Amino acid sequence: MPIDEPRNLPGDVPAGAPGAPRDAPADLDALVASWRGWMQRHDAVNAADLDELESHLLDTVDHFVSAGLTVDEAFLVAVKRLGGVDDLSREYAREHSERLWKQLVLSGDDDGPAGSAGSALPGGDAEAAGRRLPWYRRANGLPVALLLGAGAGLAVKAVELATGDPSTVALNIAVIVLPFLALWFAWRRRPSIAVLAIVGVVFAGVGLALNLYPFIGSEADEAGTTVAAISSATGILAMLGSIVALWLATGLAYVGDDWRDERARMDFVRFSGEWFVYYVLIALGGGALSMLTVAVFASIGVDVMPFVGEWVLPLGAAGAVLVAAWLVGAKQRVIENIAPVLTKVFTPLFTIMMLALVVAALVQWNLVDASRDLLIAFDAVLVVVVGLLVYSISARDPLLPPGWFDRLQALMLATALVLDAIVLVAMLARTGEFGFSANKTASLGLNLILLVNLVWALRLQLGFLRRHTGFAALERWQTTLLPVYFAWAAILVVVFPPVFGFA
């Protein structure tokens, strides 16, 4: 019989039944094992979260036992109280302990406080008292995620219709969409007002900079590059910087008041990686569905491409940001099974690709004449590699000893370091020959940050392989750099445009 079946719990014996006195000693370990087994079946709670919740649960049990309650009574009160801070615990309390609670304390009164028992329920929480979850909390908050996703999509279309300028939408895409993600975090994780105020200030500052600077009036940059209908080089950099800066600012709403805690920051990194995987999957599925829809309607002489291009894709792309965020929480265990596989598949592939790039770069050494697009491609590879490294660190069990995959990561770091040095040499040479520009300066800054990251990460990785340093040092180093990335992204948004004349 499963250990988490309610009828197997020591306290799940009808009060007053023969041979089952109400004050019979309870096996706390069995009760906790039942609670933990039930929680583990739900994908939204990982092992670290569960350990923390269990710690809170046991502390509360100790408190009530010292106050005079029996162990089983203290356990039930603790579960109810835990339900006030966690939806799953609340659901556990509703499904499992309500009946026991009635038998032991409430005496059949669903809603009333029932003396000391009622005072244990947080704020008279009706859900914790056993009522059905409200509609907006069902399915792990899916209705709220869908509403916010629809809001994000409609906001994108509203700005496009109001301005009639696609470049304005592209420039402000992070300012338009990510507030809805911040609202999702605010609803799910309930950060303090001070944290939300900081997030709001960052969004307002970035929004003002993007819309007060005269990017749109600038002509195409010297190379004639246009990205997402934006022809200004500083405008393109500001758009990219705003996405990074506001994503990290949204992460502040995710970690809340624990923003100083490196584990909380790494948890946000893990969320970002999982969100990216889900978003790509949704994009691939949505793209395939859109193409099939266009093809099917075209076969009967109906052209739906304008509708799909102008409405479905913008609304879907913005809404998928929220749906992917919901999926991370709802299907966390599934993605945790996928993440180690993805990192083990792509780490060797990227290592091989970078080794080939290093060889090709050394064979064709005259990188001063290398095209700007090639150097941008090198930078993109380095950014992806660092992202892959951080994601693999977040997905790794820190208690495992170093193994073959850690040695492979050390090789990947060494290769990336060589590639970054080659790109830096090329960028310095191009800057010396052609002078500074917004793109070259931004690339130089990015490569310097990556160089520092890679050098120190390789040092820590080698120390971990030699068992001189713990794996926690690798996690700490990567989370320490998050404010650096935010600062550089903010510089791209605020400082670069006036310095380079909004060109």
Side-chain angles (χ1 to χ4, degrees):
M1 194 69 69
I3 192 171
D4 52 351
E5 284 292 331
R7 57 180 175 276
N8 285 349
L9 295 176
D12 193 12
V13 179
R22 174 183 164 184
D23 294 334
D27 185 348
L28 181 59
D29 291 340
L31 290 170
V32 173
S34 168
W35 172 83
R36 192 177 178 96
W38 189 92
M39 297 289 286
Q40 285 176 333
R41 293 205 308 268
H42 289 71
D43 296 325
V45 180
N46 59 31
D49 293 337
L50 196 51
D51 289 342
E52 185 174 353
L53 287 172
E54 183 178 332
S55 176
H56 288 306
L57 180 71
L58 293 176
D59 288 344
T60 309
V61 169
D62 290 342
H63 169 74
F64 282 114
V65 168
S66 64
L69 294 182
T70 62
V71 170
D72 52 0
E73 290 171 332
F75 174 77
L76 295 172
V77 175
V79 168
K80 292 285 187 182
R81 282 203 163 183
L82 205 59
V85 296
D86 183 86
D87 290 341
L88 287 178
S89 291
R90 182 185 297 115
E91 190 176 355
Y92 174 85
R94 178 174 59 81
E95 293 190 6
H96 286 253
S97 68
E98 180 195 19
R99 182 154 43 96
L100 309 178
W101 183 267
K102 289 177 182 177
Q103 293 165 355
L104 293 170
V105 183
L106 293 178
S107 301
D109 185 359
D110 285 352
D111 302 320
S116 60
S119 63
L121 299 178
D125 192 340
E127 297 169 13
R131 293 177 178 173
R132 286 174 59 83
L133 288 171
W135 64 271
Y136 53 88
R137 288 192 177 278
R138 295 173 190 170
N140 207 34
L142 178 60
V144 176
L146 292 177
L147 286 174
L148 289 173
L154 291 174
V156 170
K157 285 304 297 181
V159 173
E160 180 183 342
L161 293 174
T163 62
D165 184 2
S167 66
T168 301
V169 178
L171 186 66
N172 290 276
I173 191 65
V175 179
I176 298 170
V177 174
L178 292 185
F180 292 91
L181 183 61
L183 287 174
W184 169 253
F185 290 151
W187 181 71
R188 292 290 298 175
R189 308 181 75 88
R190 298 174 186 174
S192 65
I193 298 298
V195 168
L196 291 177
I198 294 173
V199 175
V201 167
V202 174
F203 270 88
V206 171
L208 287 173
L210 291 177
N211 291 282
L212 292 180
Y213 288 162
F215 298 118
I216 307 302
S218 301
E219 297 297 330
D221 65 5
E222 66 272 15
T225 301
T226 299
V227 175
I230 304 174
S231 58
S232 166
T234 54
I236 295 170
L237 292 173
M239 177 191 68
L240 297 175
S242 69
I243 294 173
V244 175
L246 294 185
W247 180 266
L248 294 176
T250 304
L252 191 57
Y254 182 93
V255 299
D257 297 324
D258 296 329
W259 60 273
R260 294 185 183 87
D261 186 352
E262 63 190 55
R263 292 181 59 188
R265 295 199 298 268
M266 181 54 75
D267 190 38
F268 176 67
V269 171
R270 188 178 298 110
F271 165 86
S272 300
E274 294 166 2
W275 176 90
F276 179 76
V277 173
Y278 275 123
Y279 191 84
V280 170
L281 292 176
I282 293 172
L284 292 175
L289 178 62
S290 299
M291 288 190 291
L292 282 174
T293 302
V294 171
V296 168
F297 277 90
S299 66
I300 58 176
V302 178
D303 183 14
V304 297
M305 188 62 203
F307 175 74
V308 171
E310 295 176 10
W311 286 93
V312 176
L313 292 182
L315 290 172
V321 173
L322 273 300
V323 176
W326 173 82
L327 280 171
V328 173
K331 303 297 180 185
Q332 191 169 23
R333 183 173 299 173
V334 176
I335 197 67
E336 281 180 350
N337 292 332
I338 295 175
V341 177
L342 290 177
T343 56
K344 285 183 171 57
V345 168
F346 285 102
T347 296
L349 293 178
F350 269 91
T351 303
I352 294 172
M353 183 187 69
M354 285 191 299
L355 284 170
L357 284 175
V358 169
V359 172
L362 293 176
V363 170
Q364 300 178 351
W365 178 245
N366 191 9
L367 292 175
V368 178
D369 296 331
S371 70
R372 185 184 61 170
D373 293 341
L374 176 62
L375 296 178
I376 291 175
F378 277 24
D379 273 348
V381 170
L382 288 171
V383 170
V384 172
V385 167
V386 171
L388 183 62
L389 169 70
V390 175
Y391 188 45
S392 63
I393 290 175
S394 72
R396 188 188 188 282
D397 186 347
L399 299 180
L400 290 177
W404 68 269
F405 187 72
D406 300 294
R407 296 182 180 85
L408 181 62
Q409 278 193 320
L411 176 61
M412 183 182 74
L413 283 170
T415 310
L417 186 57
V418 173
L419 187 63
D420 191 37
I422 292 174
V423 174
L424 266 176
V425 170
M427 292 303 303
L428 288 172
R430 285 180 62 86
T431 302
E433 182 168 343
F434 302 111
F436 282 95
S437 70
N439 286 330
K440 286 194 284 287
T441 308
S443 179
L444 275 174
L446 174 63
N447 280 280
L448 284 174
I449 293 173
L450 292 179
L451 182 69
V452 173
N453 186 355
L454 292 170
V455 168
W456 200 253
L458 180 60
R459 177 185 178 278
L460 294 174
Q461 186 78 17
L462 293 176
F464 175 62
L465 291 175
R466 296 171 182 169
R467 301 178 187 270
H468 292 167
T469 57
F471 188 77
L474 281 165
E475 292 183 311
R476 192 180 308 115
W477 169 244
Q478 294 302 331
T479 58
T480 301
L481 286 175
L482 293 180
V484 177
Y485 295 133
F486 174 82
W488 183 244
I491 289 173
L492 293 181
V493 175
V494 178
V495 178
F496 266 49
V499 168
F500 291 96
F502 310 106

